Amino acid sequence: MRPLIKEILLMKPDTEPRTVYGWVRTKRDSKNVCFFELSDGSCLKNLQVIVDKEKYNPESILAKLTTGAGLEVDGMLVESPGQNQAVELQASEIKILGEAPAETYPLQKKRHSFEFLREIAHLRPRTNALGAVTRVRSAASFAVHRFFQERGYYYVHTPIISASDCEGAGEMFQVTTMDMNEVPKVDGKVDYSKDFFGKSSSLTVSGQLEAEIYALSHSNVYTFGPTFRAENSNTARHLAEFWMIEPEMAFCTLEGNMDAAEEFIKYVIKYVLDNCAEDMELFNKFIEKGIVDSLKSVVNSKFYRVTYTEAMKELEKNADKFEFKPSWGVDLQSEHEKYLTEQVFNGPVIVTDYPKDIKAFYMKMNEDGKTVRAMDVLVPRLGEIIGGSQREDSLEKLTARIEDMDLEKEDYWWYLDLRRYGSVPHSGFGLGFERLIQYMTGMQNIRDVIPFPRTVHNAEF
RNA sequence: UCCCCUGUAGCUCAGCUGGUAGAGCGGGUGACUGUUAAUCACUAGGUCGGCAGUUCAAGUCUGUCCGGGGGAGCCA
């Protein structure tokens, strides 16, 4: 395999000519020499190529060395007299593999706004910032798998299409093969028995319930896959299609769950800091000043842990600061989460034991009968990054909760079976992968940390 | 879905109380003894988001639709 520019930049000067491939990022031309920089996406830095016009002067080619052009360049890697690079390529022959006419190529050698780049999502990975995001995202994905694999978790592929109507984590996208112009009906209602699966089906909003199945056979499992929410939400931290990581651990209480979540976040951050130092420096300099130091301190510190009740007391002390008055029984508002992470604790905080009425039916009830064994990890800038809980493992209590919340017990027959046969304490959490990337890079809009963002009214590319 | 802001050259923006448009960057041309956000000179780019209205006159005011951004809710 050909060496990548990332590797070439670390090499000693050549004794024999080599061939390099890449795309032109920028060109600087003068009377006798022409410099251009090549990128192949393997790293943030470019390889500087120098053309000595006296020795090699193909005018027709030099004119086509525009930003974006794809090249094959033969030359000698030599020590660079310049300040910004150790080596550079002295070109002896340049072959244009693909031109990029400067009059129409949208990317210029200047800063572009992220809003503009979103409109050209097919070209934006060629920019420094989005290129760095791409590498960090890939490294973080690898770190996710490595973290769990090193600890004996099994990667379970939970379904993308779900015909069970029992997830309740938000609005769902319907999946159907029925002709929408001629929907079969019975008594005025859609006849789903005629549909592909014989019943109404949707894209998954969570793999948790299925992950629980495998946790109760393989102890520790995780999922990492696309998740779909048809919410009409228009914010910098919501997507209709996003990637979620959901570990589920048997013989594990809320405390073990919190330990796992904390260790996990630190592990992925540390992996990215160690393996994407150059890209992280870009974010540190241009996107969120000081983020590298702040992430380093997160890795080395202990996450604060408070109960919802304690957090509420803290908020009530400063009730006048908030638009929404904090009071026990009401969910934490964005401003409350920001205050806790940014003002009170200045770092990640785990809030536990929320009132049962603001949490999902499957969370384990506390002794007090009022709160459940839930935990949310809140971080500065973003708010909630993880939501998790110890699961209710008592058949009686879970059944009662399902009935209390007016859910159909029959829909949950297999979920209840897990409590009927060999039920043990188990816990898990869900982490939005894009939010983690946002947290690590400082990128303000979630649409810029996923290659092809899907949001309300937008599924372009 | 609600509140606020915004839509002018390829990009980022300026355009005061209404009088038919400007900068920087980018592009093109030329100059320049190795540049690295190169530099310098010249030059070409605009139905001012769409539609309707007020007015002698609308980039500027009003209504409406569409796009973008920020905040809120929902959540990961």
Side-chain angles (χ1 to χ4, degrees), chain A residues 21 27 32 37 120 126 130 188 211 215 245 266 276 284 296 340 359 383 402 421 430 441:
Chain A
Y21 300 85
K27 181 175 73 163
N32 299 322
E37 296 187 26
I120 48 167
R126 304 177 183 200
L130 272 292
I245 296 148
K266 289 177 176 177
C276 305
N284 196 43
K296 278 180 185 164
L340 288 173
K359 288 294 181 184
I402 288 174
Y421 308 116
T441 59

Side-chain angles (χ1 to χ4, degrees), chain A residues 125-389:
Chain A
R126 304 177 183 200
T127 63
N128 286 340
L130 272 292
V133 167
T134 304
R135 287 182 294 269
V136 165
R137 192 181 160 105
S138 171
S141 301
F142 179 67
V144 167
H145 286 294
R146 213 173 88 163
F147 175 86
F148 289 121
Q149 296 288 333
E150 280 175 359
R151 285 160 183 75
Y153 286 62
Y154 294 101
Y155 179 28
V156 174
H157 297 110
T158 50
I160 304 294
I161 296 173
S162 166
S164 63
D165 187 30
C166 56
E167 304 194 13
E171 293 297 313
M172 301 168 94
F173 286 101
Q174 277 199 24
V175 173
T176 182
T177 51
M178 293 191 291
D179 180 351
M180 298 310 280
N181 293 311
E182 276 178 75
V183 178
K185 291 193 175 175
V186 179
D187 302 332
K189 287 190 162 181
V190 177
D191 181 8
Y192 284 109
S193 70
K194 299 274 195 309
D195 204 351
F196 190 90
F197 296 107
K199 58 204 292 203
S200 168
S201 61
S202 305
L203 295 177
T204 182
V205 292
S206 165
Q208 178 200 318
L209 304 192
E210 286 89 351
E212 285 187 47
I213 294 174
Y214 276 79
L216 294 173
S217 66
H218 288 69
S219 292
N220 298 319
V221 301
Y222 70 104
T223 73
F224 183 9
T227 309
F228 308 87
R229 305 260 168 103
E231 303 288 349
N232 184 13
S233 52
N234 207 294
T235 77
R237 49 184 197 288
H238 286 90
L239 291 164
E241 176 183 291
F242 64 100
W243 288 66
M244 190 150 68
I245 296 148
E246 294 176 292
E248 194 68 34
M249 298 148 297
F251 311 104
C252 177
T253 62
L254 190 68
E255 283 66 33
N257 200 18
M258 286 191 279
D259 291 343
E262 177 170 346
E263 195 188 350
F264 171 75
I265 289 182
K266 289 177 176 177
Y267 183 96
V268 177
I269 291 176
K270 186 168 190 318
Y271 185 87
V272 167
L273 286 173
D274 289 347
N275 291 276
C276 305
E278 191 182 79
D279 291 320
M280 287 306 295
E281 197 43 49
L282 176 139
F283 298 118
N284 196 43
K285 253 192 193 152
F286 300 114
I287 306 293
E288 176 78 24
K289 290 202 169 36
I291 193 168
V292 167
D293 281 346
S294 131
L295 289 174
K296 278 180 185 164
S297 84
V298 165
V299 170
N300 294 315
S301 66
K302 184 106 183 75
F303 289 13
Y304 291 96
R305 298 180 184 188
V306 290
T307 64
Y308 167 90
T309 304
E310 289 162 355
M312 260 309 152
K313 279 184 190 152
E314 191 61 46
L315 293 169
E316 280 168 346
K317 276 193 233 162
N318 296 285
D320 51 312
K321 284 185 179 165
F322 304 113
E323 187 186 338
F324 296 92
K325 297 298 162 231
S327 86
W328 203 96
V330 178
D331 207 356
L332 297 178
Q333 304 288 317
S334 282
E335 56 175 343
H336 301 151
E337 295 179 348
K338 283 210 169 86
Y339 182 78
L340 288 173
T341 57
E342 292 169 15
Q343 306 297 320
V344 181
F345 299 105
N346 190 29
V349 192
I350 309 181
V351 181
T352 64
D353 302 289
Y354 284 75
K356 68 176 195 311
D357 292 334
I358 57 173
K359 288 294 181 184
F361 73 94
Y362 50 72
M363 296 188 179
K364 186 171 178 61
M365 189 75 75
N366 271 314
E367 299 284 312
D368 62 12
K370 292 189 297 188
T371 58
V372 290
R373 303 247 69 196
M375 64 122 182
D376 284 359
V377 179
L378 313 179
V379 297
R381 299 198 310 272
L382 288 172
E384 184 180 345
I385 196 169
I386 281 181
S389 67

